[in-house]
Amino acid sequence: MASDDIALLAEALSKTHVGNGELSYKGRGLKLDTAESVKELVGEIEEYQGLRALRLEGNTLGVEAARAIAKALESKDQLQSCHWSDMFTGRLRSEIPNALRSLGSALMTAGARLTELDLSDNAFGPDGVKSIETLLKSSACHSLRELRLNNCGLGIGGGKILAIALTECHKQSAALGVPLKLKVFIAGRNRLENEGATALAKAFQLMGSLEEVHMPQNGINHAGVTALASAMQHNPHLRVLNLNDNTFTKRGALAMAQALRHLRSVQVINFGDCLVRSEGAIAISAVLREGLPILKELNLSFGEITEAAALVVAQAVQDKPHMEKLDLNGNCLGEEGCEALKETMENMDLADLLGSLSDDEGEPDEDDEEEEEEEETDEEDGEEIKENGVTEGVSPVNHQPACHPEVVSFLSFPTAEGLLQLGKNSVHLFYNCQASCWVSVFEWNTNVSVFACHTDALLKKAFSGSSLQTYSFLSTLLVMLGLLKGEGKVKKVQVLPGHLLVLEHTVQQDYFPQDHASLLDTFVARHGKALKSCSSARDSLKSTLERRISPEC
């Protein structure tokens, strides 16, 4: 070993933090290639009685150096925390697995019971995961509480190997009566994609003990997000969920919203840069209304959310006493939308919660919206999310046939006589129209509400579910009316006066929640131009909504 290297090591050792069971060489920048180069370091480890934590991050280990350190660790049965991130800078990819295998073998030989293992920022790929697979399956990891593998280049293959290892660890530890209870899982920037995420989701569901999950920037789209959402439902103590910079779209957002309904301990949600979009934002707003009682932070930035949907989110956080931050930056609000959002937060005395809006993308162009809708039609198939056999999320009319001509005629000129001419099959006809989930029958200028009982029976059922279900129902309605840009195959209908008349009747009923009236009013007020062909009925609806929201007016 060169004298200069010895001097550097001696200086580093003089700065080594020793205490509370921890030996730290963090950030020393040591280049440790051979057994000789770590001789003094090994001596420090061997002499440390009761070693519980070893920090080697920020140095670079060769295979021989790793073997020498491993030999010293074989007697450290009290070791619990291995902070070994950024430990192989400049090493060949072929070197890293051998070094990790030596260190892992030493931990098993020592009979250590790890609680923390941090191997982040080591670009070891699937081969690196294979080299720690035996360790992860062993009794040394039965007690593992935190596993950090951020930026390791796992890929799909590495994700699958990791999932198998965690599953086996849980199986073996459960057989001994002490099942693996992993609390923190961090694996961002690993290109896990759908297959890797889905494999890990199965392991997460099996464990059911997670409190923090960080999986940002992994190329996961709605299929993988849906699998993770399902797994999260089985982790009731989840506090932090960070899936930043993956791709939810509507289907992933609805699935995640459905999962969040079941989680009462969540404090931080980071779905920034996840293409949640307006429909997804509305679904998450529904969950905010009925759940997430101790939420502190919500990040829905850079998600192509428009002004009205952003306002719905803002209104939904007003009853969250623990709320500290709402991030809606980088969306599509436009200058006026940003001001409206700020004003809304100020009026609720929550201005301090709102993050910066400096990167707002501006209002989307109508031409761009139409082009995107055409592209998304082939991408989305409108599958429903179900729980206990009850349809949740998207309303069951994503694939509607053309509206029956007799119904179109009636809706254009709604009268009691016209309704009676439809006969006893009228409800069936309405239910199978494009506007079937909300179009109904009501005659305003007579003493008897002809067929109103059928109308209210249909819509009362539609609005009797969870907030998520009814918000999604209303979201589909908004898409049909042209008040909200939608995804998939839910198409806009030709809005007729009858649609708005029956909607006006509906919002006045006891079964129609007041917060839903507020949501509807927000969209009608900001996108009323879409209803210009029915301006009289639109204005009447707006007035009714305003009275419903503020009865004193």
Side-chain angles (χ1 to χ4, degrees):
M1 185 176 185
S3 58
D4 289 345
D5 291 336
I6 294 175
L8 286 172
L9 179 56
E11 181 183 359
L13 290 173
S14 69
K15 298 177 182 178
T16 298
H17 172 69
V18 180
N20 299 320
E22 179 182 282
L23 197 56
S24 176
Y25 306 97
K26 180 180 179 180
R28 302 306 183 194
L30 299 174
K31 190 173 186 297
L32 307 172
D33 298 318
T34 64
E36 180 66 22
S37 70
V38 294
K39 185 176 181 180
E40 293 184 46
L41 188 154
V42 165
E44 291 283 336
I45 295 174
E46 290 176 338
E47 292 174 9
Y48 198 115
Q49 299 301 311
L51 180 64
R52 293 195 299 274
L54 179 61
R55 308 194 74 105
L56 296 176
E57 64 264 53
N59 301 291
T60 176
L61 269 64
V63 176
E64 287 188 31
R67 286 173 180 164
I69 293 172
K71 187 67 177 176
L73 292 176
E74 289 181 354
S75 61
K76 301 303 173 182
D77 60 344
Q78 296 183 49
L79 187 61
Q80 298 176 345
S81 301
C82 297
H83 301 277
W84 296 347
S85 63
D86 189 21
M87 204 169 65
F88 298 107
T89 300
R91 300 295 171 180
L92 296 175
R93 191 153 181 169
S94 59
E95 292 181 86
I96 301 174
N98 290 327
L100 287 173
R101 199 172 289 113
S102 296
L103 293 167
S105 179
L107 296 173
M108 291 185 286
T109 299
R113 293 292 183 268
L114 297 184
T115 58
E116 295 180 75
L117 179 59
D118 186 355
L119 292 170
S120 298
D121 301 314
N122 292 311
F124 47 60
D127 290 340
V129 185
K130 289 180 182 178
S131 68
I132 61 171
E133 182 179 9
T134 301
L135 170 65
L136 291 173
K137 291 179 178 179
S138 74
S139 59
C141 288
H142 287 182
S143 53
L144 197 62
R145 296 294 179 265
E146 299 184 15
L147 179 59
R148 303 170 188 270
L149 296 169
N150 202 58
N151 190 32
C152 289
L154 302 183
I156 294 172
K160 289 182 175 180
I161 295 169
L162 179 58
I164 292 171
L166 291 173
T167 300
E168 183 63 24
C169 182
H170 184 274
K171 179 181 177 181
Q172 292 187 17
S173 58
L176 297 173
V178 285
L180 172 65
K181 294 183 179 180
L182 191 67
K183 293 183 177 181
V184 177
F185 180 83
I186 300 176
R189 300 182 66 189
N190 274 301
R191 297 302 306 177
L192 293 169
E193 301 184 13
N194 288 336
E195 291 183 58
T198 300
L200 285 166
K202 293 177 181 178
F204 296 164
Q205 182 167 326
L206 180 65
M207 290 185 290
S209 56
L210 289 167
E211 296 181 8
E212 291 189 29
V213 175
H214 301 262
M215 298 175 66
Q217 203 173 340
N218 268 297
I220 306 169
N221 66 29
H222 68 80
V225 170
T226 299
L228 289 171
S230 179
M232 292 306 106
Q233 292 188 44
H234 297 270
N235 288 265
H237 302 296
L238 188 70
R239 294 183 296 104
V240 179
L241 182 57
N242 176 7
L243 294 176
N244 188 285
D245 199 9
N246 290 292
T247 306
F248 281 34
T249 62
K250 174 183 174 180
R251 292 169 65 185
L254 288 174
M256 196 56 71
Q258 171 68 16
L260 291 171
R261 285 185 59 217
H262 301 271
L263 301 171
R264 309 289 294 178
S265 300
V266 175
Q267 298 178 24
V268 178
I269 295 173
N270 186 343
F271 296 160
D273 205 11
C274 283
L275 213 60
V276 168
R277 291 180 173 154
S278 295
E279 287 182 279
I282 291 172
I284 292 170
S285 298
V287 180
L288 288 169
R289 290 282 188 181
E290 67 178 353
L292 301 171
I294 60 173
L295 186 68
K296 293 182 178 180
E297 296 182 20
L298 176 61
N299 184 345
L300 295 178
S301 61
F302 299 93
E304 294 190 2
I305 299 169
T306 56
E307 175 194 352
L311 291 173
V312 171
V313 174
Q315 292 162 3
V317 303
Q318 64 180 319
D319 295 323
K320 297 299 171 190
H322 303 281
M323 201 72 182
E324 297 175 358
K325 184 177 181 180
L326 173 63
D327 190 347
L328 290 168
N329 195 22
N331 282 297
C332 302
L333 311 185
E335 185 175 345
E336 291 184 3
C338 288
E339 290 303 315
L341 179 58
K342 291 176 182 177
E343 182 179 348
T344 297
M345 295 295 286
E346 288 174 0
N347 291 339
M348 297 187 296
D349 198 24
L350 298 175
D352 292 342
L353 304 188
L354 185 63
S356 170
L357 298 175
S358 60
D359 295 317
D360 186 73
E361 297 287 341
E363 295 182 73
D365 294 332
E366 291 185 10
D367 292 341
D368 293 340
E369 288 187 4
E370 291 177 3
E371 184 177 331
E372 288 178 13
E373 284 177 5
E374 291 177 2
E375 293 175 355
E376 288 156 5
T377 296
D378 296 330
E379 189 177 299
E380 303 283 349
D381 61 12
E383 292 181 1
E384 300 162 4
I385 305 164
K386 295 187 178 181
E387 178 188 35
N388 298 327
V390 179
T391 301
E392 291 283 341
V394 193
S395 77
V397 288
N398 289 343
H399 305 278
Q400 307 94 339
C403 207
H404 195 284
E406 293 179 16
V407 177
V408 172
S409 177
F410 167 76
L411 290 172
S412 299
F413 304 99
T415 65
E417 293 78 10
L419 174 60
L420 291 174
Q421 288 176 4
L422 293 176
K424 62 181 180 180
N425 293 322
S426 56
V427 171
H428 176 74
L429 290 173
F430 283 117
Y431 192 80
N432 287 283
C433 287
Q434 287 187 341
S436 61
C437 280
W438 59 277
V439 171
S440 58
V441 185
F442 198 76
E443 172 54 51
W444 301 96
N445 297 316
T446 64
N447 293 326
V448 180
S449 300
V450 180
F451 217 50
C453 59
H454 294 280
T455 296
D456 289 330
L458 182 64
L459 293 176
K460 185 176 182 180
K461 182 177 180 180
F463 287 101
S464 64
S466 68
S467 290
L468 175 59
Q469 186 175 2
T470 56
Y471 264 57
S472 296
F473 179 96
L474 202 52
S475 177
T476 301
L477 163 62
L478 293 170
V479 173
M480 288 179 171
L481 290 173
L483 299 175
L484 172 65
K485 175 190 172 185
E487 295 181 24
K489 298 180 180 180
V490 179
K491 295 297 185 181
K492 299 176 184 177
V493 299
Q494 179 185 356
V495 182
L496 304 171
H499 293 146
L500 303 187
L501 288 175
V502 74
L503 188 55
E504 183 176 358
H505 162 72
T506 301
V507 302
Q508 297 177 76
Q509 306 310 305
D510 291 339
Y511 60 73
F512 195 87
Q514 186 169 357
D515 61 291
H516 289 49
S518 178
L519 185 158
L520 186 57
D521 179 63
T522 298
F523 277 87
V524 172
R526 281 158 179 79
H527 301 288
K529 291 181 180 178
L531 306 177
K532 61 184 178 181
S533 62
C534 309
S535 58
S536 179
R538 176 198 63 194
D539 294 342
S540 180
L541 172 60
K542 286 174 65 177
S543 296
T544 300
L545 285 168
E546 289 169 3
R547 288 195 300 271
R548 178 68 195 278
I549 296 168
S550 304
E552 67 277 5
C553 293

